[in-house]
Amino acid sequence: MATPVAYQANTSASVPDWLNKGDNAWQMISATLVGLQSVPGLVILYGSIVKKKWAVNSAFMALYAFAAVWLCWVTWAYNMSFGDKLLPFWGKAKPALGQKFLIKRAALPATTHYHRDGSVETTMVEPYYPMASMVYFQCEFAAITVILLAGSVLGRMNIRAWMLFVPLWLTFSYTVGAFSLWGGGFLFHWGVIDYSGGYVIHLSSGIAGFVAAYWVGPRSTKDRERFPPNNVLLMLTGAGLLWMGWAGFNGGDPYSANIDSSLAVLNTNICAATSLLVWACLDVIFFQKPSVIGAVQGMMTGLVCITPGAGLVQGWAAIVMGILSGSIPWFTMMVVHKRSSLLQKVDDTLGVFHTHAVAGFLGGVTTGLFAQPTLCNLFLPVTNSRGAIYGGVGGVQLLKQVVGALFVIGWNVVATTIICLVVRLVVPLRMAEEELSIGDDAAHGEEAYALWGDGEKYDSTMHGWADDTHHNHNMIPTGVTQMV
């Protein structure tokens, strides 16, 4: 049967012969799904999982980061991550704004992989859609990384400090990891596997968030002692957007609507579901009841763990990875954290270290174990790559995964520390104590709900309680259910 004219190339100036409409459509859909994970996904999740007095501030930190990353990305950061090589771990900074650049075929110029004798082993990455789609897709990944990092410093970071921190961290940390592992840097050419961001996104945000939390300092004592979510159902809504959005997160990274993307989406859901169930079961075994927040944490660790190997492992391996991601981060959060003086000292608000750093490292290592040779040949620039259980060079692959993780950890510790110290010279990293006691109203002059809540100085005349004899106003309302 003849191909319909609408699907043929060269039907107009906007349909060149290299354009694959299916690939382009899937890439833009995937980018949008990843974007929805941030806005409104993490905006809703952050605004709901925190104490009521921090709902506005937490949601706005995510919203601001999303907008700030966009402008920085197209102005200089995209080409630092995916452009021409400047250093083995960094690309050359330049804008991604001109029409000549954006309408040409997408290409990652530093990704041509060579044999030791100088011959080409794998050609440059050149998807069948325009550069504009690539810039869009990769920007959503950069944005969610910074937003995930924010989870470690919710409830006390000075919003003005955060406004400075975001572009600096994007420039001097994220772009390094992205170029090194994806854009054609030294880890990419050495063969370290990071299918969709287990290292670039999750390990880096988990480590950087932990370091930032150290430098920013802890929440107020009252907030650390009791920090109930203000809306569990909305938190689940945000979590659901994250889970469903992960289809674009992992399904879009082959840069094509191919069989590898289909496998990646399937494995993503298998691992996430397994991890959630394991986490919930552990809660029941040790605490006699399943925690909803715990289930969300288990979902998250499963999504993170499968990410570095989503399109490279078989379904049974995705289940094994889910079992591990539902149990090992649970153990580090529920047992190790409570016994470690260092972890206790650093106030990581949402436990991003456990859900992203631990789970991301675990995913990278298990990918080094379970990456299937045939699937590796569908995606990786280094031919004959395989996980350790398949013998051959698999043992070396496992070593590469560990070394790659150590580089990401080391760079983020150093870079995030320097960035925090520089920001601290300009504006305090942590809110003043009075602002910490009030929350959103002090930080933004706005509140999430028109209710009397923690942080407000009580005034009976503002709440319609004229008869003081019938109400005990010395009782401070706590938790989700407020006495109004």
Side-chain angles (χ1 to χ4, degrees):
M1 294 178 64
T3 303
V5 174
Y7 297 97
Q8 294 178 13
N10 293 315
T11 55
S12 72
S14 64
V15 187
D17 58 0
W18 47 260
L19 179 68
N20 183 299
K21 292 183 179 181
D23 283 354
N24 194 34
W26 174 240
Q27 207 63 40
M28 289 192 290
I29 290 170
S30 294
T32 304
L33 287 171
V34 179
L36 288 171
Q37 290 182 293
S38 297
V39 179
L42 284 170
V43 171
I44 294 174
L45 191 149
Y46 283 3
S48 306
I49 201 172
V50 297
K51 205 171 187 177
K52 186 174 79 68
K53 72 175 185 179
W54 293 113
V56 172
N57 181 257
S58 301
F60 181 71
M61 286 179 70
L63 184 64
Y64 167 80
F66 189 79
V69 167
W70 256 109
L71 195 59
C72 298
W73 191 251
V74 297
T75 306
W76 67 79
Y78 170 78
N79 278 296
M80 294 180 73
S81 304
F82 297 97
D84 297 307
K85 184 174 75 172
L86 174 66
L87 297 170
F89 54 86
W90 231 352
K92 297 179 181 178
K94 60 181 178 181
L97 291 167
Q99 58 90 9
K100 289 184 178 179
F101 176 80
L102 294 174
I103 67 173
K104 70 179 183 179
R105 182 178 175 182
L108 308 186
T111 56
T112 305
H113 190 75
Y114 298 93
H115 290 289
R116 291 185 178 181
D117 62 5
S119 60
V120 174
E121 180 175 4
T122 310
T123 58
M124 178 173 54
V125 175
E126 290 184 284
Y128 295 100
Y129 47 75
M131 192 68 83
S133 295
M134 178 66 78
V135 175
Y136 175 33
F137 180 72
Q138 295 295 351
C139 181
E140 305 297 6
F141 277 78
I144 198 172
T145 307
V146 186
I147 295 172
L148 291 172
L149 187 163
S152 293
V153 293
L154 297 180
R156 83 281 198 178
M157 187 171 187
N158 187 334
I159 188 63
R160 290 169 294 169
W162 177 246
M163 294 172 78
L164 294 175
F165 179 90
V166 169
L168 290 173
W169 192 84
L170 174 73
T171 303
F172 295 103
S173 186
Y174 181 82
T175 58
V176 170
F179 186 81
S180 298
L181 282 153
W182 289 344
F186 75 107
L187 294 176
F188 174 91
H189 288 291
W190 190 38
V192 177
I193 300 173
D194 187 6
Y195 184 88
S196 192
Y199 287 174
V200 176
I201 295 172
H202 301 293
L203 181 60
S204 65
S205 63
I207 295 298
F210 187 80
V211 174
Y214 170 81
W215 289 108
V216 171
R219 289 166 289 170
S220 65
T221 301
K222 183 181 293 186
D223 281 356
R224 290 198 77 179
E225 290 174 349
R226 181 159 176 75
F227 205 70
N230 69 84
N231 195 318
V232 174
L233 295 182
L234 271 181
M235 178 197 72
L236 288 174
T237 301
L241 286 168
L242 274 179
W243 189 341
M244 292 298 97
W246 227 279
F249 201 103
N250 287 346
D253 254 307
Y255 301 148
S256 174
N258 58 21
I259 59 175
D260 207 26
S261 61
S262 298
L263 181 66
V265 172
L266 185 64
N267 281 337
T268 297
N269 285 276
I270 292 171
C271 187
T274 304
S275 183
L276 185 154
L277 297 174
V278 169
W279 193 295
C281 289
L282 288 172
D283 278 349
V284 170
I285 292 170
F286 290 95
F287 304 117
Q288 286 73 56
K289 60 182 69 174
S291 164
V292 176
I293 295 178
V296 171
Q297 303 279 37
M299 175 205 79
M300 186 73 72
T301 55
L303 293 168
V304 170
C305 184
I306 193 62
T307 291
L312 305 175
V313 302
Q314 299 184 70
W316 64 263
I319 293 176
V320 174
M321 293 169 75
I323 293 171
L324 295 174
S325 64
S327 55
I328 293 178
W330 182 94
F331 180 75
T332 64
M333 181 179 286
M334 300 300 179
V335 180
V336 176
H337 187 101
K338 296 177 181 179
R339 299 180 180 180
S340 168
S341 57
L342 173 62
L343 294 177
Q344 285 285 311
K345 180 180 180 181
V346 179
D347 182 17
D348 180 0
T349 307
L350 300 186
V352 179
F353 174 80
H354 303 284
T355 57
H356 293 273
V358 173
F361 178 80
L362 178 64
V365 171
T366 50
T367 297
L369 285 172
F370 300 131
Q372 204 274 342
T374 301
L375 298 175
C376 288
N377 287 334
L378 298 177
F379 180 77
L380 298 176
V382 180
T383 55
N384 299 318
S385 296
R386 63 191 61 217
I389 67 169
Y390 294 98
V393 296
V396 176
Q397 186 64 56
L398 184 60
L399 174 63
K400 290 179 180 180
Q401 297 301 106
V402 174
V403 173
L406 292 176
F407 171 78
V408 172
I409 292 170
W411 185 271
N412 276 279
V413 169
V414 174
T416 306
T417 295
I418 294 173
I419 290 168
C420 286
L421 294 178
V422 170
V423 171
R424 193 169 69 176
L425 295 175
V426 180
V427 62
L429 290 171
R430 187 171 180 266
M431 293 183 189
E433 291 299 325
E434 183 179 358
E435 293 177 310
L436 290 176
S437 67
I438 297 172
D440 288 339
D441 195 30
H444 302 280
E446 298 163 317
E447 291 183 324
Y449 306 105
L451 300 171
W452 173 38
D454 38 18
E456 179 184 331
K457 294 181 179 178
Y458 174 71
D459 180 352
S460 63
T461 62
M462 295 177 61
H463 301 280
W465 292 349
D467 185 359
D468 288 352
T469 62
H470 291 86
H471 301 277
N472 183 356
H473 295 148
N474 294 321
M475 293 179 61
I476 304 300
T478 59
V480 176
T481 304
Q482 305 291 346
M483 184 175 70
V484 294

